[in-house]
C-alpha cells in the first residue's frame, strides 16, 4: 500500500479485493479516502469503484463479514453502502459521464478506471489505489494529484472551464477544499470559477448551503468567505454579505470594511467554539450595517439600530439559504440583536439593574453572547484591544456576581398569571399582564428582591393602584 492504513482498514480492503476477484471485476479505492490518507487527515469512509456492478460487489463483500452488515443500495444510481461499525464503504461501478448545458446531472455509461478518474473534480480527488491481485496497493495518479498535494494546490484534472460548466457545484467544492485543507486554488482554476460563477444558479440551494456549512465548520472559515467574495460567487449566492464590503470616506473620515471585519470575527469565534450556529451568529452580527449606515456631521459614520435591522434580516437570510427555521435560527437572531449590549455596558457606570436586564434578555445564552462579543474585538490598535478586553472582563465579572445573588438568568416569574387571577377573581385580561410586567420590572430594577414574598407584597400594592379587590 502506498498509504498508511490501520490493520482493520487493511483487513476490510483485503476482503473487498477477495470479493472482487471472485466476481472477476477489477476494483479500486478512489477519491477522498486516498486523498485524506496521503495528507494525514482522519477519515471514516472509503469509496470503491469497480469495473462492474457496484451493488453486486457490495453484497458479495457484506457476505464475507460476520455478522453480515446490511447493504443499503440505490438501483437508479448503481451505488451501494455498507457500514462496518464506524467505517462506511461505498461501492459504485466505474463510469463515463457527459453533461448537457442546463443540468448538473450527467448522462452516465459504464467506463474504465481512467474514465472514472476523468470525471473527478480535482486532481487530488482523482487518485486511486488498486485492490487487484496483480498490483494490490499501487497508486494510480494520472493527473499528478500527488504533486498537487505536495504543492497544496487545487486544480481540475481536465480544462477547468469545462469542469465547472459541467457541474458548477464543483466551484463551491474547490473553495471548500481550499478552506478545509489550507490549499491554494491554481490560478487558471480560480479564473475559471470567476468566469463560470453565474452557472451556480443551476445548483440547488441545499447543495450550496451544505458547502457553506462545511466552510463554516473549518478552523479558519474566513479563507472560504474571502474566496467566495473574490470569485464573484458570493454576489450571486449571498449578496447581503457583499454589501458589507468596502470602506467609504467623507471629509477624510472612513469606517472599517465590515466584510473583512465580519470574517475576522468569524475566525475569532471559531477558535473558541465548534458550534455551527454561534459561527453563523458571528457571520451575521453586523449584517444590518449597510442598511443603517449614515454619515453624521461632527460624528462621523454611524450604524444606529443595525442590530435590530440585522436581527430582522436573519429569518429572511435563513429562508433564502434554506437553513433551518427553528430554535437555532432564533438563537442566531437573538445573538445578533443583543451583540452590542455587553460592550455598551462598559460605556456607562454599570448599574446592577442594567446587568440584570442583560441577564434577563440573554437568558441561558449569556455565555454564547459573551463569546460573540469577545470575538467582535478586532481592532489593530493594541492599546484599544487591551482597554476593550479589560472592560469586557469587568462586565463578565459583574454578570457573574449579579447572577449569583439574583438568579436572573433562567428567570421564572415568582408569581404566576394563574395566581394573580385567582387572588383577584380575574379572567385572563389586561390587569393580569400589567401586574406581571410590574413585578418583573421591579425585580429587574432592583426595587424588590427576586423572591416570592417580596413579589407577593408588590402584587398587593399594585392591585390597590388598579382598584382590584382580593377575593377571600
Ligand atoms: P468529504 O467527505 O470531505 O466531502 P470527499 O472528497 O470524500 O470529501 P465526497 O463528496 O464524498 O467528497 O466525494 C467523494 C469523491 O467523489 C471525491 O473525492 C471526488 O473524487 C468525487 N466527487 C464528489 N463530488 C464530485 C463532483 N461534484 N464532481 C466530480 N467529482 C466529485
Amino acid at each position: 500500500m502506498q498509504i498508511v492504513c490501520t490493520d482493520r482498514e487493511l483487513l476490510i480492503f483485503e476482503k473487498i479485493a477477495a470479493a472482487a476477484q471472485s466476481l472477476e471485476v477489477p476494483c479500486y479505492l478512489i477519491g477522498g479516502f486516498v486523498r485524506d490518507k496521503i495528507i494525514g487527515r482522519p477519515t471514516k469512509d472509503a469509496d470503491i469503484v469497480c469495473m462492474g456492478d457496484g451493488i453486486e460487489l457490495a453484497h458479495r463483500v457484506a457476505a464475507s463479514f460476520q455478522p453480515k452488515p446490511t447493504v443499503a443500495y440505490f438501483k437508479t444510481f448503481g451505488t451501494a453502502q455498507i457500514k462496518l461499525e464506524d467505517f462506511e464503504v461505498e461501492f459504485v461501478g466505474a463510469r463515463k459521464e457527459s453533461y448537457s448545458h442546463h443540468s448538473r446531472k450527467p448522462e452516465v455509461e459504464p467506463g474504465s478506471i481512467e474514465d472514472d478518474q476523468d470525471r473527478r473534480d480535482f486532481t487530488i480527488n482523482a487518485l486511486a489505489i488498486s485492490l487487484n491481485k496483480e498490483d494490490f496497493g499501487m497508486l494510480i495518479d494520472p493527473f499528478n494529484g500527488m504533486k498537487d498535494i505536495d504543492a497544496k494546490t487545487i486544480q481540475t484534472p481536465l480544462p477547468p472551464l469545462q469542469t465547472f460548466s459541467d457541474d458548477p457545484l464543483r466551484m463551491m467544492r474547490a473553495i471548500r477544499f481550499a478552506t478545509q485543507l489550507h490549499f491554494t486554488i491554481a490560478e487558471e482554476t480560480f479564473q475559471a470559477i470567476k468566469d463560470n460563477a453565474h452557472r451556480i444558479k443551476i445548483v440547488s440551494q441545499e447543495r450550496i448551503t451544505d458547502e457553506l456549512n462545511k466552510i463554516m465548520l473549518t478552523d479558519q472559515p474566513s479563507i472560504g468567505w474571502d474566496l467566495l467574495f473574490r470569485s464573484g460567487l458570493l454576489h450571486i449566492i449571498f449578496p447581503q454579505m457583499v454589501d458589507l464590503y468596502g470602506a467609504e470616506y467623507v471629509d477624510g473620515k472612513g469606517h472599517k470594511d465590515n466584510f473583512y471585519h465580519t470574517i475576522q470575527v468569524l475566525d475569532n469565534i471559531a477558535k473558541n467554539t465548534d458550534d455551527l450556529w454561534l459561527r453563523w451568529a458571528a457571520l451575521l452580527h453586523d449584517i444590518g450595517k449597510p442598511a443603517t449606515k449614515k454619515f453624521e456631521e461632527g460624528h462621523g459614520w454611524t450604524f444606529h439600530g443595525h442590530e435590530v435591522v440585522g436581527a430582522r434580516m436573519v429569518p429572511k437570510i435563513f429562508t433564502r439559504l434554506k437553513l433551518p427555521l427553528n430554535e437555532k435560527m432564533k438563537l442566531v437572531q437573538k445573538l445578533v440583536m443583543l451583540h452590542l449590549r455587553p460592550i455598551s455596558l462598559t460605556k456607562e457606570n454599570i448599574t446592577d439593574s442594567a446587568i440584570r436586564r442583560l441577564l434577563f434578555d440573554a437568558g441561558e445564552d449569556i455565555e454564547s453572547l459573551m463569546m460573540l462579543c469577545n470575538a467582535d474585538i478586532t481592532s489593530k490598535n493594541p492599546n484599544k484591544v487591551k482597554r476593550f478586553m479589560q472592560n469586557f472582563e469587568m462586565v463578565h465579572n459583574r454578570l457573574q456576581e449579579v447572577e449569583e445573588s439574583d438568579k436572573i438568568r433562567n428567570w421564572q416569574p415568582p408569581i404566576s398569571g394563574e395566581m394573580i387571577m385567582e387572588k383577584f377573581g380575574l379572567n385572563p385580561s389586561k390587569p393580569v399582564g400589567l401586574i406581571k410586567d410590574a413585578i418583573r420590572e421591579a425585580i429587574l430594577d432592583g426595587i424588590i428582591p427576586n423572591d416570592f414574598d417580596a413579589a407577593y407584597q408588590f402584587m398587593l400594592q399594585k392591585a390597590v393602584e388598579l382598584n382590584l379587590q382580593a377575593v377571600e
Side-chain angles (χ1 to χ4, degrees):
M1 275 276 171
Q2 301 215 1
I3 52 175
V4 181
C5 292
T6 63
D7 289 348
R8 173 152 175 78
E9 286 164 352
L10 206 55
L11 178 98
I12 293 170
F13 299 148
E14 280 166 359
K15 281 191 184 256
I16 294 172
Q21 207 186 344
S22 72
L23 288 170
E24 294 182 10
V25 293
C27 80
Y28 302 83
L29 254 172
I30 195 159
F33 181 86
V34 183
R35 177 200 68 221
D36 286 343
K37 276 288 175 186
I38 293 169
I39 294 175
R41 284 174 96 214
T43 163
K44 286 266 165 260
D45 46 50
D47 291 317
I48 303 290
V49 63
C50 68
M51 310 306 116
D53 181 350
I55 299 178
E56 192 185 6
L57 176 59
H59 278 107
R60 186 67 67 97
V61 172
S64 68
F65 281 91
Q66 266 310 334
K68 188 175 155 209
T70 331
V71 179
Y73 61 95
F74 305 93
K75 257 211 145 68
T76 13
F77 301 110
T79 60
Q81 285 161 357
I82 56 177
K83 216 171 163 159
L84 300 157
E85 289 163 23
D86 62 344
F87 194 71
E88 218 169 272
V89 190
E90 179 155 334
F91 298 84
V92 65
R95 55 199 197 184
K96 199 179 160 117
E97 292 181 342
S98 50
Y99 287 83
S100 65
H101 191 71
H102 63 279
S103 162
R104 54 175 295 265
K105 297 198 176 53
E107 296 284 324
V108 290
E109 55 182 295
S112 62
I113 179 70
E114 290 78 20
D115 291 329
D116 205 89
Q117 285 175 300
D118 280 357
R119 73 177 181 86
R120 304 277 158 175
D121 47 6
F122 306 111
T123 59
I124 61 168
N125 285 346
L127 294 155
I129 285 185
S130 165
L131 296 182
N132 305 314
K133 198 166 177 209
E134 59 283 8
D135 53 6
F136 186 89
M138 192 180 82
L139 184 74
I140 306 161
D141 179 12
F143 304 110
N144 278 324
M146 282 296 272
K147 204 167 131 246
D148 284 341
I149 288 181
D150 278 345
K152 296 181 178 281
T153 302
I154 291 176
Q155 60 182 322
T156 56
L158 303 179
L161 272 174
Q162 191 59 43
T163 304
F164 293 134
S165 173
D166 282 349
D167 178 0
L169 178 69
R170 294 169 180 162
M171 301 188 283
M172 296 294 300
R173 286 173 55 88
I175 291 176
R176 186 253 294 185
F177 284 120
T179 315
Q180 282 179 326
L181 304 174
H182 293 247
F183 277 27
T184 306
I185 301 176
E187 215 175 295
E188 196 195 345
T189 299
F190 195 62
Q191 185 58 46
I193 297 181
K194 286 183 179 168
D195 295 342
N196 267 304
H198 63 282
R199 296 271 298 149
I200 198 69
K201 290 183 189 140
I202 70 162
V203 179
S204 76
Q205 187 60 51
E206 287 81 355
R207 299 304 302 267
I208 294 174
T209 298
D210 264 1
E211 296 298 328
L212 290 179
N213 280 337
K214 285 183 181 173
I215 290 170
M216 284 302 249
L217 290 170
T218 60
D219 61 354
Q220 205 182 325
S222 65
I223 298 174
W225 289 101
D226 181 40
L227 289 169
L228 286 169
F229 175 73
R230 288 195 290 113
S231 64
L233 281 168
L234 199 59
H235 299 64
I236 302 165
I237 62 172
F238 196 170
Q240 297 93 330
M241 278 296 292
V242 177
D243 294 342
L244 289 169
Y245 175 79
E248 213 175 312
Y249 283 82
V250 171
D251 300 341
K253 276 192 181 168
H255 61 81
K256 66 183 163 204
D257 179 320
N258 286 307
F259 178 75
Y260 285 103
H261 162 70
T262 290
I263 62 178
Q264 170 74 58
V265 174
L266 176 60
D267 280 356
N268 289 349
I269 209 162
K271 289 194 193 96
N272 292 318
T273 177
D274 290 334
D275 187 306
L276 178 62
W277 306 107
L278 294 192
R279 292 175 176 212
W280 272 104
L283 190 84
L284 298 178
H285 79 286
D286 275 347
I287 201 75
K289 274 194 168 172
T292 54
K293 182 164 103 170
K294 273 202 185 75
F295 186 80
E296 289 176 12
E297 291 297 333
H299 276 294
W301 293 100
T302 62
F303 303 90
H304 293 310
H306 75 268
E307 70 284 16
V308 182
V309 171
R312 258 190 241 133
M313 289 168 75
V314 169
K316 291 179 198 148
I317 290 169
F318 267 54
T319 305
R320 171 166 179 168
L321 296 183
K322 293 214 158 74
L323 286 164
L325 298 172
N326 56 16
E327 75 285 356
K328 298 300 180 193
M329 187 272 286
K330 294 219 171 87
L331 168 69
V332 172
Q333 193 172 30
K334 178 173 174 183
L335 295 176
V336 172
M337 180 73 172
L338 297 178
H339 80 271
L340 296 174
R341 290 275 295 278
I343 289 296
S344 76
L345 291 180
T346 65
K347 292 194 182 121
E348 49 195 87
N349 278 337
I350 321 175
T351 60
D352 278 4
S353 163
I355 295 275
R356 264 187 234 107
R357 281 188 183 277
L358 179 57
L359 280 167
F360 178 75
D361 291 338
E364 60 188 13
D365 301 311
I366 187 72
E367 291 302 332
S368 303
L369 178 64
M370 292 306 278
M371 196 186 277
L372 173 59
C373 289
N374 194 7
D376 201 5
I377 302 171
T378 63
S379 168
K380 293 207 170 51
N381 174 342
N383 289 329
K384 230 177 172 178
V385 171
K386 198 170 157 201
R387 206 176 62 238
F388 272 150
M389 284 298 190
Q390 279 167 350
N391 284 341
F392 178 81
E393 271 308 300
M394 189 170 72
V395 174
H396 207 244
N397 294 340
R398 293 286 289 120
L399 279 165
Q400 264 165 2
E401 279 165 30
V402 172
E403 173 59 18
E404 263 163 41
S405 70
D406 295 1
K407 303 276 177 285
I408 297 292
R409 192 177 157 152
N410 288 314
W411 192 76
Q412 292 298 328
I415 304 279
S416 68
E418 284 76 34
M419 278 165 133
I420 300 169
M421 288 192 276
E422 203 177 311
K423 181 77 190 162
F424 301 104
L426 296 169
N427 291 320
S429 54
K430 203 170 166 195
V432 184
L434 286 176
I435 295 178
K436 268 187 83 177
D437 289 352
I439 295 171
R440 185 193 63 227
E441 292 302 299
I443 293 172
L444 292 177
D445 282 339
I447 296 168
I448 58 169
N450 181 19
D451 65 39
F452 179 83
D453 290 344
Y456 192 84
Q457 287 310 318
F458 190 81
M459 169 186 77
L460 295 178
Q461 218 177 303
K462 208 68 209 162
V464 172
E465 282 171 33
L466 293 170
N467 278 329
L468 296 174
Q469 297 291 326
V471 287
E472 292 313 318

